[in-house]
Amino acid sequence: RVEGGEQGRITVENFGGETQSAQVLGDEYKAYEVNFKTGANATSAGVFIWKDAGNAFAFADDVELLEKR
């Protein structure tokens, strides 16, 4: 959730594919998904939760990384 009408983002990169992200808006907690498929030789991925510049705060809770087959 992001306070003050500001926005944030959940981003996944460096996994052997194109960077994927979801925009985070609103001051209520809600679920967001960022789906990605690792490349054939990828052994890691960078997952980032961040907020654009501004004075408000952003919060993340119950973050999960799940394997889909």
Side-chain angles (χ1 to χ4, degrees), residues 17-65:
E18 186 176 323
T19 297
Q20 301 293 311
S21 64
Q23 186 177 33
V24 178
L25 298 169
D27 59 1
E28 299 290 327
Y29 282 108
K30 67 180 195 175
Y32 292 90
E33 284 188 18
V34 180
N35 294 301
F36 65 98
K37 184 175 182 177
T38 58
N41 298 317
T43 59
S44 64
V47 179
F48 305 93
I49 301 170
W50 54 275
K51 189 188 83 60
D52 291 344
N55 294 323
F57 292 97
F59 303 89
D61 193 12
D62 293 330
V63 177
E64 295 180 306
L65 183 62

